[in-house]
Every structure is written in C-alpha cells, then in structure tokens.
C-alpha cells in the first residue's frame, strides 16, 4: 500500500532567513489496534485470537520488565528497544543526580536489518487528495 503525504509550510525561526519553506509530511491513514493484529495473526496460524492477544499483551509486559532492568530487548525481525533519557548538563560531575538532572525518559527503537532494507528500497507514495482508495 502506498504512503499518503501532504505538503506543509514551515518557517525556520532559528536561521536569519525567515522565508517559509515547504516539506512533504507523511499522513497516517488510521490506527491498527491489538485486537485487529491478533485477529489477523490468528487467521494465519492455529492459535485463537485470544491466545495471540494474550501473547502480545505478555510481550508488552516483558518488554517493560527487561527495559526497566537496563536490558536491550532484541525482537529479531522487528528490531531492538532500549531506554534513554534527556539529561541536564552540569559542569561538576559530582552534582549529577537522577532526580535533579534527568528531565524525561524515552524509548529508542532500532529497526531490524529486514525493516531497514525494506525502507531503503523505498515505498510508493501519493499526495493527499490526489487519488481515492
């Protein structure tokens, strides 16, 4: 399926040149939830939708458990997940403490080689409003 995009006007407030520029921005076409994915997987194997959903739910819990333990979680053909955080700098390393310096936590995702190659090959795109589904 092709990816939809729109053209969006952006202004660079940092640069001296304040002339607006335009970018192409990917547009999502909806959300796929755990129920839909579970149903689709169950139709491709002998597991029921409920069994698949519970495995995926447990995967989410185990992902959180191992990330919280400082591990990198490698889901092979999906990719790797690890915890990161934004931190305020301090000239004195003795002043650094998690409570004072960590501003927010985030999740880093590195796609698998399979996904990277798929993205590198390119994906068909079309401009929003230029064709109907």
């Amino acid at each position: 399926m092709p990816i939809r995009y729109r053209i969006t006007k952006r202004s660079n407030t940092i640069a001296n040149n304040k002339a607006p520029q335009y970018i192409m921005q990917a547009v999502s076409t909806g959300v796929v939830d755990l129920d839909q994915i579970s149903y689709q997987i169950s139709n491709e194997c002998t597991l029921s939708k409920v069994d698949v959903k519970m495995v995926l739910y447990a995967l989410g819990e185990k992902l959180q458990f191992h990330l919280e333990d400082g591990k990198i979680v490698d889901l092979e053909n999906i990719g790797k997940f690890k915890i990161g955080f934004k931190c305020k700098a301090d000239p004195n390393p003795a002043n650094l403490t998690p409570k004072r310096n960590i501003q927010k936590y985030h999740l880093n995702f590195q796609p698998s080689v399979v996904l990277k190659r798929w993205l590198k090959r390119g994906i068909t795109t079309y401009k929003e409003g230029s064709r109907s589904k």
Side-chain angles (χ1 to χ4, degrees):
M1 299 293 288
I3 303 295
R4 184 185 305 172
Y5 72 89
R6 71 173 57 115
I7 296 176
T8 306
K9 181 179 175 181
R10 293 283 168 100
S11 297
N12 186 345
T13 58
I14 298 172
N16 290 336
N17 179 6
K18 304 266 186 194
Q21 296 187 349
Y22 297 87
I23 63 165
M24 292 171 51
Q25 183 177 27
V27 177
S28 92
T29 57
V31 176
V32 177
D33 65 12
L34 202 57
D35 280 330
Q36 291 172 296
I37 291 174
S38 300
Y39 176 76
Q40 291 168 345
I41 293 172
S42 73
N43 285 331
E44 298 173 7
C45 67
T46 59
L47 296 172
S48 72
K49 176 186 166 189
V50 173
D51 291 335
V52 173
K53 186 173 182 177
M54 288 302 105
V55 168
L56 293 174
Y57 185 80
L59 175 63
E61 289 184 342
K62 290 301 173 190
L63 180 70
Q64 182 178 342
F65 173 81
H66 290 293
L67 289 169
E68 208 167 28
D69 196 30
K71 303 264 191 314
I72 294 172
V73 179
D74 186 353
L75 297 180
E76 296 180 11
N77 67 329
I78 296 172
K80 296 178 184 178
F81 295 87
K82 71 177 184 176
I83 290 286
F85 51 79
K86 182 178 178 184
C87 180
K88 283 192 292 187
D90 194 296
N92 183 356
N95 292 339
L96 293 174
T97 64
K99 188 171 186 166
R100 187 174 31 228
N101 296 90
I102 295 177
Q103 295 173 320
K104 73 176 188 177
Y105 294 90
H106 58 266
L107 198 56
N108 293 322
F109 172 69
Q110 179 184 8
S112 70
V113 172
V114 172
L115 287 178
K116 284 181 186 178
R117 287 181 184 153
W118 169 70
L119 289 170
K120 194 172 185 175
R121 282 193 306 265
I123 302 168
T124 307
T125 58
Y126 69 97
K127 187 174 179 182
E128 186 175 51
S130 66
R131 78 171 214 205
S132 59
K133 287 194 155 199

